[in-house]
Each structure stands twice: as structure tokens, then as C-alpha cells.
Amino acid sequence: MNKSAILLIVLGFVFTKQVLAQNQKAIITIVNPTSTNRKEEVVAISWKSILLKYPNIDTTNFKVINSITKKDEPFQLEFHGEKMVQNLLVQVDLAPKGSIKFIVQKGKPSSQITKTYGRFVPERKDDFAWENDKIAFRMYGKALEQTPKEMAYGIDVWVKSTSRMVINERYKRGKYHDNLGDGMDYYHVGYTCGAGNSYPYVNDSIYYSKNYIQWKVLDNGPLRTTFSLVYDDWDVAGMKVNAIKTISLDAGSQINRVEALYNYTDKPMMDLIVGIIKRKDQGTMLLDEKQGIMGYWEPQMGEDGITGVGTIVTSPVIKMKVDDTQLLTQATTQKDKPFVYYTGAVWNKANVLTTASAWFSYLEAYKNRIENPLKVIVK
């Protein structure tokens, strides 16, 4: 073999080695396009975009490194109910117009702290409860319909003053209406939308479904919990309707994302409302039709404190109004297309947002987040 041939082989080996080395990592840059702080925000990075740069990645043996601190960052592989990974989730704090860089590379990741969690609760009449490190919620299942005095339709709020997951502890104790140092359930729902449920709305009447009949967990932490609830047929002004509601809650957020898919046959569009129950005593309200933001800072409920509730509708709003029992946002859903909106709550005793103005500002900032998502670049 002559020297030229040997040189070509050596160069080819070096080139192959360099290519393989490049394929052993992916570099992710996340940019804040806004002039506001983005704190504790969970970002979804397309798994396909990572595979293009790091095709040999082992989903059981990789870590995400902060390029500045050189430390492992918590992450989650999001499946959204599919067999294959859909997204890589990371949580970031970004200054206005700031950016952060992560390196995805081979290695054993550090242990993850669970910041979101949800489950079906058969021991409590088919509740479905979920939480993150800020707040907790529940929806009511079919078994509750056997006890009419306890029946409720809407979303319930369980307030928290701890970042720990507390749902299982509270159900096990059976005293979740008592504050034992980390919050409780003192929110009242009844025959209303509670803290931001949605229902069909025809001729100024709300057509409530019964409680959910099936559930499915699509992802369960540590940074995002997503689940679906299925609702059986019910009559809406002579039209048969059923629904699937898919709810996601991210770590660090007071707000859920809701996809409400209503199935019906008679017409291409249907009006619906998103509602918040109103208390007897005077609270503070925000009804911003232009921005689609509806906020409510409840009156003081004795020693239990104050709950703030809010909804954000990103599609055009027909109108907002307040009746005897609820704050209502009216909008339109299209047949076979999910109606996406956001709803959440806060407790003043958690000492994060302690006034009506602070809560309303949070809702406005969250709307800005929705309209201006963080930019992701994978190299």
C-alpha cells in the first residue's frame, strides 16, 4: 500500500471519529424574546430536533448540562400518551431578552425532584386530583353522583403553602378540609364551573355535563402532569354532546392548560362559557374582554385566607358578564377542534401573590407568555 492510500485511510478515520464525536451531544439554546422576566417556566424541546443532532442518544442514559454552571438540570421526557418520546422538558429562569444554553450528552442523570403529580382517587368517590409545587386541584368522578348532597360539577382548588406533593397525604389522613400546616381544601364548587371549568352555553343557559366516566394519565411529572377526562353524552338544548378534557399543569405555574374537545353533530360551531364561582361577600374582579382575561380575588374567608382564581381565553371572546353565582366568559368552539384555554388559582397564605393587583398582574404576564413563547434552537 502506498503512502497516499495510507494517508487517505488515516484522514478518513479522523473524519469519522470527528463526526461520531459531534453526534454524541446536542446543544440547546433557549431565548427570551420578551422584555419581562420568565421565571420557573417549563419549555418543550421537540425530541425529533434533538435526534437530528444526536441520533445515537440513549433515553435511559443522558443528562442535560447547564453550560454556565456545568451542573445537571432536571428534565422530563414527555410522551403525551404516545409510545415514542414527543418532547424534552426543562425548566428555566430567564431575564428580559436573556438566553440559556444546555448540553445534552451521555451520562447518568441526577435524581429528579417531583414537582407535579396527579392520580385517580377511587377511595374518594372517583376523584381525579393533581398538583404541582404551587397549588392543587381536583375534578369529580361518576361515583360522586350517588351522593347528591356532595355533588359538584366544576374544578376544585386545594390550596398549598409548601412545594411538597401533598395529595396522597391529605387523602390518607382524610382531613383535607383542615389546615394542618401546609394548606387545605376550603374552596366551594357545588353546581357551578368552580375554578374555571367550561360547558356549552345556549340561550343564556349553561348545560352542565355529569361527572367524568373515564380517565387517562398521559404524563406524570416530574415537570409536567397531563391527563384526560372523558364525559358521556348529555343533552344540550336537544343536541347530543360529549366531551374529552385534557389538562396539563407545569411545575412552577399557578395555571393549567385545558383542551376541551366537544363532540356534537347538529352544527359546525357551538357557544360555551368558562366560569368562576362568585362568593356572597364582595370580592375583586377583572373582566378584560379584549385580552380574554377573567380574574377573581375572593373575599377573605375567615382564618382560611383568600383564594384568587383566573381564566385566560386566547380565542375571540363574545362577552364577559357576572350573574348571581358566577363570572362568565362566553366564546365559541368549533366542531372536532379542541377549545384551548387556561385556568388556575393562588392562595394568599402561600405568600407568593398576596393581593388582587398582584394576581391580576400574574394573569396578564401569563397571557404574554402564551403569546410570546420562548425560542428554542437545537444545534
Side-chain angles (χ1 to χ4, degrees):
M1 185 179 294
N2 58 41
K3 291 182 179 180
S4 297
I6 294 173
L7 180 60
L8 287 172
I9 292 172
V10 171
L11 291 174
F13 175 78
V14 171
F15 176 76
T16 301
K17 190 174 180 180
Q18 290 175 338
V19 170
L20 288 172
Q22 290 174 349
N23 288 340
Q24 294 304 308
K25 66 179 180 181
I27 300 172
I28 300 167
T29 302
I30 301 172
V31 180
N32 177 5
T34 69
S35 299
T36 57
N37 284 308
R38 307 289 281 264
K39 191 176 181 182
E40 297 182 279
E41 187 163 348
V42 174
V43 187
I45 301 108
S46 164
W47 190 247
K48 288 182 179 179
S49 69
I50 293 173
L51 288 177
L52 286 173
K53 305 301 179 182
Y54 188 177
N56 299 319
I57 190 171
D58 180 352
T59 56
T60 64
N61 188 37
F62 78 91
K63 52 188 177 180
V64 178
I65 306 295
N66 185 309
S67 66
I68 301 298
T69 65
K70 308 301 180 185
K71 293 181 179 180
D72 281 23
E73 293 286 343
F75 67 85
Q76 176 183 335
L77 293 178
E78 183 182 34
F79 289 83
H80 206 72
E82 303 294 334
K83 292 182 178 180
M84 304 298 293
V85 179
Q86 303 297 305
N87 296 300
L88 173 69
L89 305 179
V90 294
Q91 190 176 28
V92 299
D93 290 338
L94 286 175
K97 302 295 182 179
S99 65
I100 191 170
K101 186 177 291 185
F102 297 111
I103 301 169
V104 179
Q105 63 185 44
K106 184 178 179 180
K108 185 178 179 180
S110 301
S111 59
Q112 309 275 10
I113 297 174
T114 298
K115 294 184 177 181
T116 69
Y117 173 72
R119 76 173 178 95
F120 173 60
V121 190
E123 68 269 30
R124 218 307 296 194
K125 301 177 181 177
D126 295 352
D127 285 354
F128 195 100
W130 70 103
E131 64 181 318
N132 67 0
D133 49 352
K134 304 290 184 182
I135 194 76
F137 304 90
R138 70 170 166 173
M139 297 275 265
Y140 301 103
K142 199 71 177 172
L144 190 66
E145 295 174 9
Q146 304 306 312
T147 52
K149 290 184 179 180
E150 299 179 39
M151 257 297 286
Y153 291 138
I155 299 174
D156 190 23
V157 179
W158 284 19
V159 295
K160 292 175 60 172
S161 57
T162 176
S163 61
R164 293 186 304 106
M165 302 296 100
V166 299
I167 284 172
N168 287 337
E169 293 177 15
R170 292 185 184 180
Y171 275 115
K172 187 175 182 179
R173 290 193 303 253
K175 296 182 178 180
Y176 48 82
H177 294 296
D178 301 326
N179 185 0
L180 301 181
D182 58 19
M184 70 189 118
D185 172 24
Y186 75 92
Y187 194 75
H188 175 68
V189 176
Y191 292 93
T192 74
C193 297
N197 211 346
S198 66
Y199 292 101
Y201 191 66
V202 181
N203 296 327
D204 295 327
S205 295
I206 303 171
Y207 285 81
Y208 296 101
S209 67
K210 291 187 177 180
N211 292 339
Y212 76 85
I213 59 169
Q214 295 177 25
W215 60 273
K216 182 178 182 181
V217 175
L218 306 182
D219 291 285
N220 208 354
L223 295 178
R224 175 177 291 168
T225 290
T226 304
F227 60 95
S228 291
L229 303 177
V230 177
Y231 294 81
D232 205 356
D233 294 343
W234 76 100
D235 180 80
V236 177
M239 179 173 61
K240 186 166 66 175
V241 177
N242 58 57
I244 302 173
K245 297 180 180 180
T246 302
I247 300 173
S248 292
L249 180 62
D250 285 355
S253 176
Q254 305 290 152
I255 306 291
N256 298 281
R257 182 181 187 273
V258 183
E259 286 188 13
L261 178 61
Y262 291 93
N263 298 300
Y264 48 91
T265 57
D266 290 11
K267 51 187 178 180
M269 304 179 78
M270 179 177 70
D271 283 358
L272 53 73
I273 55 90
V274 177
I276 299 172
I277 187 172
K278 180 168 66 74
R279 304 306 171 196
K280 291 181 180 179
D281 293 334
Q282 185 67 34
T284 306
M285 301 180 192
L286 170 68
L287 300 175
D288 187 339
E289 290 185 355
K290 184 177 180 181
Q291 294 295 319
I293 300 172
M294 186 168 66
Y296 185 44
W297 189 253
E298 292 194 341
Q300 179 84 29
M301 305 296 283
E303 294 183 359
D304 294 339
I306 300 171
T307 300
V309 184
T311 63
I312 302 169
V313 172
T314 54
S315 56
V317 170
I318 296 173
K319 65 179 177 181
M320 291 180 177
K321 66 178 183 178
V322 181
D323 65 16
D324 292 340
T325 57
Q326 302 186 80
L327 290 70
L328 300 171
T329 296
Q330 182 180 349
T332 300
T333 181
Q334 296 182 32
K335 181 180 177 182
D336 300 325
K337 184 177 180 180
F339 177 79
V340 178
Y341 70 99
Y342 301 80
T343 183
V346 70
W347 189 36
N348 71 322
K349 286 194 171 185
N351 293 319
V352 177
L353 302 167
T354 59
T355 65
S357 60
W359 175 232
F360 297 161
S361 293
Y362 180 91
L363 294 173
E364 290 163 356
Y366 203 92
K367 174 71 182 301
N368 185 50
R369 278 190 184 191
I370 297 167
E371 293 178 335
N372 299 281
L374 298 176
K375 294 182 179 180
V376 177
I377 303 165
V378 182
K379 293 184 178 180

